[in-house]
Structure formats: structure tokens, C-alpha cells
Amino acid sequence: MEVREPGGATVAMGEPVAAGAACVAEPPRIRRLDESVVNRIAAGEVIQRPVSAVKELVENSLDAGSTSISVVVKDGGLKLIQVSDNGHGIRSEDLPILCERHTTSKLSAYEDLQSIKSMGFRGEALASMTYVGHVTVTTITEGQLHGYRVSYRDGVMEDEPKPCAAVRGTQIMVENLFYNMIARRKTLQNANDDYAKIVDLISRFAIHNSSVSFSCRKHGVNRADVHTVTTLSKLDAIKTIYGISVARDLMEITVSDDNPSRSIFEMNGFISNANYTAKKTTMVLFINDRLVECTALKRAVEVAYSSTLPKASRPFIYMSIKLPSEHVDVNIHPTKREVSLLNQESLIETIQNAVESKLMNCNTTRTFQTQTVNCAPASNFTARKDTEISPSVSGKKSQKVPVNQMVRTDSRDPFGRLHAYWQDCPASQHEKKSDLASVRIAVRQRRNPRESADLTSIHELLNEIDQNIHPGLLEIVKNCTYIGLADEVFALLQHNTHLYLVNVVNVSKELMYQQVIRRFAHFNAIQLSEPAPLPELLILALKDEDLESGGDDDELRKKIAEMNTELLKQKGEMLEEYFCININQDGNLTRLPLILEQHTPDMDHIPEFLLSLANDVDWENEKECFQAISAVLGNFYAMHPPVLPNPAGNGIDFYKKINGKAASIDDAGNEWTGTDNHGQDDLDQELLAEAETAWAQREWNIQHVLFPSMRLFLKPPKSMATDGTFVQVASLEKLYKIFERC
Ligand code: ADP
Ligand code: MG
């Protein structure tokens, strides 16, 4: 019981109040809310912004079987939203309860939700609008001489319906939206972008419902911002709405699955090709004809794009997915913006794979670019539809690789340093010109890509890869989760309940090899900032070999290097055309192929790459020649451990300074460090930082470049099951049993 003191303060009777202690508040009373308050709160949830009201109204029109829907909007929808349709109309006897909460013609029992085809089912939308705005309905049903008009507030009719002249269908007007929700109205008034949202919404509906004509315009303006005529083709609808420039860059895609243990669905739609570039992804998604959003699917598709077409990684996507209605839960979101699907993960994966392979096959008209290894802007050359070549200068940050990560900067061995060839100095005028010329050649070559890829030898090599797949490993590769690096060579993977160690070097070597064969004659280029002289690099490689064999003959090395340079120069045309390995007349390497997007090889391995290119290839037999070159490239691009020892763990000793110099490794690979009492301060910080960057970069690459690409592209050969590339280390079930016993 409460009494009010003369001073106005309230104290509770019968409860001792300790002097000086904080007064414990009495629990507030629980009361039943007034129904109008409940309804207004609920309404605020269903109708969050003007665009949500438009969505509900258009969905009602579609549910009513309309073939023409027009929308008029004033003041971003706050003053007026008017949706007119030519659907079946509303019976006059239903008008009194039309806007009450939970009145609907679409659902009667809860079980109906399982098989519901209509977009509405809760009977909430119109009611909600009457709690946050003024609603007027004009409607006529088939065969009636006149229609009715009636206005609603807070769920009820303001007056009896008035007979009026009407054209077929229903027109619903919502005026003064949020007139009684001051804060929301203010925020929306300031936001000022609701009309754009409405136009976007109608555009999406118009693509999917291409047999319905839509229009959307501002009140008082004659010209509509969306206007479609009834057309049977979705592509035509896209052309009308988004323009020819979008429609011409689209490819049709269909995929389905009917395996109950995975997922059952059909998807068809359009996705953009390599020529389409935009600032953000447009994803128009309908699931069982409902306009929904699915962030997981959108991400999956974006990943497919960025791994195959990084330049076109903000795609335009229209997808319509149909599943058995009992596999979709439509009732998980107040505005029905999201739905939940049975076996969502496998469905997404199947679609991702389909997108992926579609993109892989669309390279004939792709945009490509050269890439520099220094900080100068990269030159981009765009070949659109094989007609225009428009050079533009723009450096794409994500593809620039800092010089220190591309080269060996081993201060101990001046001979081993490749700095000389990779400095940040701008290319000479002459070089620029010849770059341009050779890129033009590359453009021309790509105009007829089929011709070169049609070589039987390449087909045979591709078939061999396909026929040699180990199905069990393929399943692991496709569906594994990357856990982390176990050591310098092995990564830990989880597949179902099993853990595997995977040899990263072997896997990446094979992946690169297979990619070279697949991309044969269709490579983008990695442009070296400075031409790298073959003879010197070959001498370096020979020195390394001699170190191993104990031989030491400078003259002989020089001779061999010269002969090899000549050989590679002779083969230059073929290397350039098919593998994008450019060796110019002066015997310099200027360009390398881009085998996996976002991945450049470790330039420390260039000498050994060139040496094996010269030594290990049988140039006589076409197929063997291509196979060997691909294998040599695969080895060069594989993710070997960096040359500098790993500073984490024991490798740190290598960076301790001895008389101002870092430690070195003797011929047998044993590292010596002098005395052991060097403190932290004696570390060669520069070298250490460089090593840390190299190792961190490699780890990042393994996780973010190698594994995603491996899931998409690698077809693991049978040999990998037995040669130690994949080793099962634990089964979680067994571990569980062991722990259970503990
Ligand atoms: P729901 O769509 O969930 O049934 P609504 O509040 O959106 O609930 O609509 C209530 C009912 O009003 C619908 O079930 C439908 O019978 C009728 N209705 C609403 N809009 C239209 C329309 N444009 N044409 C015909 N009937 C309509
Ligand atoms: Mg509805």
C-alpha cells in the first residue's frame, strides 16, 4: 500500500527504511496494456519505414492476382503511398473487418503455413497501417456495378463504406504515415532516401514478376521511375529497369538438386559476367516467389566471384529459388524479409559451385590487366566484348604486392639479393612502350581464346586430371574447415569428425599445376617492374646447385647459363603465347602468368624456376612439354616456406647478431650462432621484421587464398591419399570416447 506524503514523496507503509541506506524500490505493478497501445507497438514493427508499407501493399496486390500494379509516392511515402491494382478486389461484406488485426483470407489453420503460397498470411499489414497512418480503401469485385470507398483508423472503419465509381481491382491509400510516432517521423524525414528504396523494391518485384506490369512514380510527376510492360522474359524486364548496360553483361544460370540427403531445390536466374563492374553487389533474391534476403548466400556468391573474377567481384545477381514449401519457414521475421530453409548450407554450396563453374567458363570476354610488382600504378587494359580496348590507369590496392614481400633481402649474401631487379624505379619510356605493345598482343590473343585452348594435348591433360581424382579426398577438400598451421609445411583440417594434416606445399603445387592447365593460354599477367636478366639468375641457381653437389666452376656456370638463356629465348614465343611467360630479346624475364587471383609467387625462387624451365622440359613432345612447363610453374607458385627461417620458435636464433652481422647457416643447413648469451637487443631487427612479415603473409595466403581456391578448384589425385599429403590424425568420436573415460 502506498500513501502520498504532504510533500509529494511516496513511501511504502509497513516496510522499515534503514536510516542512511538506499531506499529499495518497490516492484512496479504489472498491468495489461491497452489494446491500442499493443497494436501500435506491433504496427511499428511490421511497418518499419514507408518502404515496408509499400512492400505489404504490393504483395497484397500480387496475392490478389493482379497483372498491373501502380505505385504513387509523396514525400518519400510519409505524406502518401497509393497502390492501385487490377486484382480480384475485396468483397463489400468483408470491409468492416478488413483492417482488424489477424483478419485474413489466406490462412485458416496453422498447418496451412506449411504449404502457403500467398505472400501474406498474418492478416497484420493493413491493420498495422491503420495504427500508424490514415488508410483509405477503394475496391470493386467482378460483376459489381459500383465499388466502395472506406477509411480506417486504429483497425476500425471511420464510417460506413460509401458506394463509388471504381475501376477493376483495389486502390489503397496510406496518408500521413507515422503521424503519431514523432521520433520515427523525424528520423525518416531527415533520411530522405525512402523514395529510392521504394523504387528499388518495385524494380525487384518487376524483374521477378515479369508477367505483371509495374509503375512507380512520385506524386504530381508524370514520368514514372519504374515502368515495365507485361513481358514474358525476365531478361527484358532487367533490360527495361536496369538498362541495356547491365542486361548485356548477364549470363543465365540454372541449377537444381533433388537429393533428399542434401537439398531439394531448383534455381534459375542471371548473373553478371567478367565485364560487369559496380560499386556494390546487387542481389535480387526470390525464394518461392517471396522477395527475401539471405546474407549467407550473398556472401557465398561474392566469394565465388572474388576468387575467379576479382575485378568483377561486386556482381549483379537475380536468383529465383524454388523449394518444396514444407522446406521453407516463412514465419521467422516480422516483415517476412528473411526465411529459413531446410538444408540451407548444402543448398548454398550447390549454388556457389554452379556460379563458380559458370564464371570459369565465361573468360572469353573477360577484363584483364597486367600487374606490377612495384608501387607504380598498374596498367589496366579492358577488352570488352572483343571490340574496344580502353587503357586506363588505376592501381588496384589489393593486388599490389609490397616489394619486400616479393624479393629476398638476405643481407648476408649480396649475390642472393634480387633487389637489383625489383626496385621501385619507374620503367623507362622504352619499356613502357614495349609493355603496351605486348599487352596489345595479349589482347589479340585473347580475342580468339578457343583456338589455342582447343589443343588436344591440353584436353588430354585435363582429362587425366579428371580421371585421376580421389573421390574421398575430393569430398574432404570441398567440405573441410581450415583450423590452422600445424608447422611450416602441414596445416590442420577438420572434415566431419576427422582431423587431417595436409601438406600445404604439395597441395598448392598440384593446385597451381591444375590451374595452369585450366587457364592455358588465358592468363592475366604479372608485370615485373624491372626486367630480370636470365643469365645472372641462372648463374645464381647453378651456384645453389653446386653448393649442394660441391662443384665450383665459374666459367662452366657462365657457359651453361648462356646456353640456357638462348634456349629459353628461342622458346619465348610459345612461352608467351601459352603461359604468359615473357622473355624479351635481351634475355630478360618481364612477365609471369597470374595463376590464382591474389597470389604472386615467392620471387626468391625465380632462379631455380628458370633453371628447371631450361632443364626439365622436353621441348619435342607437345603434351609432355606443356605438362612439364605447367609442373615447373606449379612448383614455382606453390606455397613453400619462406627462405628466411621462421622467427617463431627456434628460428629466432638466426637473427641474433654476431659482430654486427646476423647468424648464418652453414652448408649442411645447420645454423650457427656463436655464443648463446646475446640478449634481445642484439637481434637484427630489420631482418627479423622482414621474416615476420614473410611468414605472416604466407599464413594469411594459405588461409585466405589457398584454401578457398582449393575448395573450389582442386581435384586431388589418387596419389595424395598415400604419399603423405593427407594424413588423418584423429577422429573426434574416438577422442570423445577417450575423454569420456577420463
Ligand atoms: P494478409 O495479406 O496477411 O492476409 P493483410 O492485412 O495484408 O493480411 O490483408 C488482409 C486481407 O485483405 C487479405 O487477406 C486480403 O483478403 C485482403 N486484401 C488486402 N489487400 C488486397 C488487395 N489489394 N486486393 C484484394 N484483397 C486484398
Ligand atoms: Mg498482406
Side-chain angles (χ1 to χ4, degrees):
M1 185 184 163
E2 286 174 356
V3 286
R4 199 162 277 273
E5 278 194 334
T10 306
V11 289
M13 294 260 297
E15 273 177 20
V17 179
C23 190
V24 179
E26 196 188 356
R29 292 290 304 275
I30 298 176
R31 292 185 203 88
R32 194 172 300 281
L33 278 179
D34 208 59
E35 207 176 317
S36 64
V37 180
V38 176
N39 287 337
R40 203 188 297 171
I41 291 173
E45 221 172 81
V46 177
I47 308 298
Q48 293 172 347
R49 333 178 46 116
V51 66
S52 15
V54 177
K55 178 165 187 263
E56 293 291 344
L57 293 172
V58 171
E59 286 184 346
N60 278 347
S61 298
L62 290 168
D63 282 346
S66 313
T67 55
S68 165
I69 299 173
S70 71
V71 181
V72 177
V73 176
K74 190 171 177 184
D75 201 7
L78 289 180
K79 273 248 154 56
L80 169 77
I81 295 169
Q82 178 185 293
V83 176
S84 316
D85 65 48
N86 62 352
H88 56 49
I90 303 165
R91 293 165 199 268
S92 56
E93 61 268 32
D94 286 343
L95 289 174
I97 62 159
L98 174 70
C99 293
E100 275 178 28
R101 259 186 106 197
H102 309 310
T103 55
T104 175
S105 58
K106 300 169 193 172
L107 181 84
S108 46
Y110 180 77
E111 293 67 48
D112 298 351
L113 255 187
Q114 282 228 326
S115 54
I116 195 113
K117 296 264 183 324
S118 60
M119 272 163 266
F121 50 83
R122 294 196 194 122
E124 258 184 344
L126 285 183
S128 300
M129 286 174 222
T130 68
Y131 284 96
V132 293
H134 304 140
V135 175
T136 304
V137 177
T138 310
T139 187
I140 185 169
T141 49
E142 182 94 56
Q144 298 297 307
L145 292 177
H146 62 80
Y148 287 94
R149 173 169 303 149
V150 56
S151 297
Y152 297 83
R153 275 228 193 171
D154 296 344
V156 293
M157 295 194 296
E158 286 190 314
D159 276 314
E160 281 303 303
K162 287 195 181 61
C164 66
V167 288
R168 186 188 155 175
T170 305
Q171 182 190 73
I172 299 188
M173 262 195 322
V174 183
E175 289 166 288
N176 305 320
L177 196 60
F178 305 126
Y179 72 97
N180 50 2
M181 299 171 84
I182 310 289
R184 189 170 309 185
R185 203 178 160 86
K186 278 223 172 96
T187 351
L188 288 169
Q189 258 163 353
N190 294 339
N192 205 16
D193 61 348
D194 265 78
Y195 182 67
K197 285 195 164 66
I198 293 170
V199 168
D200 182 55
L201 176 88
I202 302 299
S203 306
R204 286 163 190 255
F205 273 123
I207 293 178
H208 184 70
N209 301 279
S210 50
S211 54
V212 178
S213 72
F214 283 87
S215 81
C216 177
R217 62 184 169 87
K218 278 188 178 163
H219 182 259
V221 176
N222 278 337
R223 200 181 49 83
D225 293 290
V226 184
H227 186 110
T228 59
V229 289
T230 313
T231 143
L232 289 177
S233 139
K234 302 216 156 132
L235 195 57
D236 282 344
I238 297 176
K239 203 185 289 170
T240 314
I241 295 158
Y242 290 93
I244 177 96
S245 61
V246 173
R248 76 169 168 210
D249 288 339
L250 297 183
M251 308 178 282
E252 190 159 12
I253 181 165
T254 50
V255 56
S256 60
D257 197 355
D258 56 2
N259 181 340
S261 64
R262 283 196 309 258
S263 54
I264 303 185
F265 75 94
E266 272 175 21
M267 182 280 274
N268 58 61
F270 290 91
I271 62 173
S272 52
N273 64 18
N275 295 327
Y276 178 86
T277 46
K279 289 213 179 76
K280 63 183 181 77
T281 301
T282 304
M283 175 135 193
V284 181
L285 175 64
F286 283 79
I287 296 184
N288 283 3
D289 297 323
R290 290 166 191 284
L291 176 59
V292 290
E293 278 167 25
C294 178
T295 317
L297 177 60
K298 186 174 172 192
R299 277 298 308 136
V301 173
E302 282 179 334
V303 166
Y305 271 84
S306 46
S307 56
T308 32
L309 306 173
K311 283 208 71 181
S313 62
R314 300 265 174 272
F316 178 97
I317 312 286
Y318 158 69
M319 275 183 192
S320 165
I321 302 175
K322 297 258 166 96
L323 314 89
S325 46
E326 63 274 17
H327 290 188
V328 186
D329 187 351
V330 293
N331 193 24
I332 61 158
H333 194 273
T335 65
K336 296 169 274 158
R337 198 176 65 201
E338 284 165 27
V339 292
S340 128
L341 309 177
L342 192 69
N343 299 328
Q344 178 160 314
E345 273 173 22
S346 21
L347 177 142
I348 289 179
E349 197 192 322
T350 314
I351 294 181
Q352 187 186 36
N353 288 341
V355 170
E356 186 60 56
S357 52
K358 190 89 199 173
L359 297 180
M360 299 251 311
N361 293 331
C362 82
N363 276 353
T364 49
T365 59
R366 66 167 301 173
T367 301
F368 63 96
Q369 67 187 86
T370 61
Q371 191 178 34
T372 59
V373 293
N374 69 358
C375 298
S379 328
N380 288 337
F381 294 88
T382 308
R384 176 179 280 275
K385 296 268 158 80
D386 297 349
T387 50
E388 10 167 309
I389 302 166
S390 56
S392 69
V393 180
S394 79
K396 195 177 175 189
K397 268 206 179 117
S398 63
Q399 297 192 340
K400 255 190 257 163
V401 180
V403 176
N404 68 341
Q405 288 161 28
M406 305 278 296
V407 299
R408 172 152 73 189
T409 49
D410 184 345
S411 55
R412 291 167 300 129
D413 177 12
F415 236 130
R417 288 163 62 181
L418 297 177
H419 268 132
Y421 318 124
W422 309 97
Q423 278 162 358
D424 282 0
C425 30
S428 68
Q429 212 46 34
H430 167 75
E431 267 302 321
K432 271 187 201 148
K433 265 196 206 134
S434 68
D435 275 358
L436 196 61
S438 35
V439 170
R440 284 210 178 106
I441 293 169
V443 171
R444 252 176 266 134
Q445 276 164 7
R446 281 169 183 78
R447 286 186 182 171
N448 297 312
R450 286 278 140 231
E451 286 166 27
S452 41
D454 275 351
L455 293 169
T456 356
S457 51
I458 287 298
H459 278 293
E460 282 174 19
L461 290 171
L462 282 169
N463 283 342
E464 279 167 22
I465 294 175
D466 283 340
Q467 276 156 18
N468 196 24
I469 297 179
H470 186 287
L473 290 183
L474 184 67
E475 161 62 25
I476 295 174
V477 163
K478 291 257 171 267
N479 297 306
C480 64
T481 312
Y482 173 78
I483 296 179
L485 279 180
D487 66 12
E488 297 179 355
V489 171
F490 281 94
L492 204 54
L493 299 187
Q494 185 178 343
H495 177 259
N496 293 335
T497 53
H498 295 123
L499 290 180
Y500 295 88
L501 279 175
V502 176
N503 186 317
V504 172
V505 178
N506 286 1
V507 167
S508 54
K509 207 182 281 184
E510 179 66 25
L511 174 68
M512 304 296 171
Y513 165 78
Q514 295 185 0
Q515 285 300 93
V516 174
I517 305 275
R518 279 186 207 116
R519 293 195 157 187
F520 185 80
H522 295 93
F523 293 98
N524 290 343
I526 300 174
Q527 185 77 32
L528 308 190
S529 56
E530 281 290 290
L534 256 59
E536 287 176 40
L537 292 167
L538 285 164
I539 287 175
L540 272 183
L542 289 165
K543 272 198 163 178
D544 273 352
E545 275 200 344
D546 286 350
L547 269 182
E548 279 163 30
S549 64
D552 190 13
D553 185 340
D554 278 352
E555 267 314 297
L556 186 64
R557 277 200 289 261
K558 212 169 149 216
K559 272 226 154 66
I560 299 176
E562 271 166 19
M563 277 163 56
N564 283 341
T565 306
E566 268 322 297
L567 172 74
L568 294 178
K569 266 166 66 178
Q570 272 175 29
K571 308 293 175 192
E573 206 176 319
M574 185 267 275
L575 288 172
E576 162 76 30
E577 186 170 349
Y578 293 146
F579 296 97
C580 194
I581 300 171
N582 180 276
I583 295 165
N584 66 16
Q585 272 318 299
D586 304 333
N588 293 322
L589 177 72
T590 67
R591 214 169 13 248
L592 284 166
L594 184 66
I595 296 178
L596 261 196
E597 309 295 341
Q598 295 184 350
H599 176 65
T600 40
D602 181 348
M603 297 300 171
D604 277 341
H605 296 295
I606 281 202
E608 112 197 29
F609 158 68
L610 290 170
L611 191 61
S612 28
L613 197 58
N615 283 346
D616 303 343
V617 177
D618 167 4
W619 303 91
E620 301 306 315
N621 177 314
E622 182 184 290
K623 182 173 152 194
E624 275 156 28
C625 170
F626 290 159
Q627 186 172 28
I629 298 174
S630 306
V632 171
L633 276 167
N635 190 31
F636 176 31
Y637 281 63
M639 297 198 179
H640 298 278
V643 173
L644 288 170
N646 190 352
N650 287 344
I652 191 72
D653 289 344
F654 174 81
Y655 303 93
K656 289 182 180 163
K657 283 184 179 171
I658 297 134
N659 301 330
K661 281 186 187 164
S664 67
I665 296 177
D666 68 21
D667 296 353
N670 302 318
E671 145 232 326
W672 59 271
T673 55
T675 50
D676 247 344
N677 51 4
H678 295 280
Q680 277 294 104
D681 296 341
D682 290 339
L683 295 176
D684 183 334
Q685 294 300 342
E686 214 176 298
L687 200 60
L688 184 64
E690 190 184 311
E692 278 168 353
T693 316
W695 281 89
Q697 176 81 30
R698 173 174 181 261
E699 189 162 353
W700 192 94
N701 278 342
I702 289 173
Q703 182 175 358
H704 298 283
V705 179
L706 176 63
F707 274 85
S709 319
M710 183 181 99
R711 274 189 208 108
L712 292 169
F713 305 121
L714 182 69
K715 298 188 170 166
K718 295 191 177 111
S719 59
M720 281 191 173
T722 48
D723 67 1
T725 303
F726 283 80
V727 185
Q728 186 184 324
V729 283
S731 144
L732 296 184
E733 292 118 322
K734 287 186 190 149
L735 283 181
Y736 181 75
K737 280 193 191 128
I738 295 167
F739 287 128
E740 214 179 27
R741 272 187 246 126
C742 293

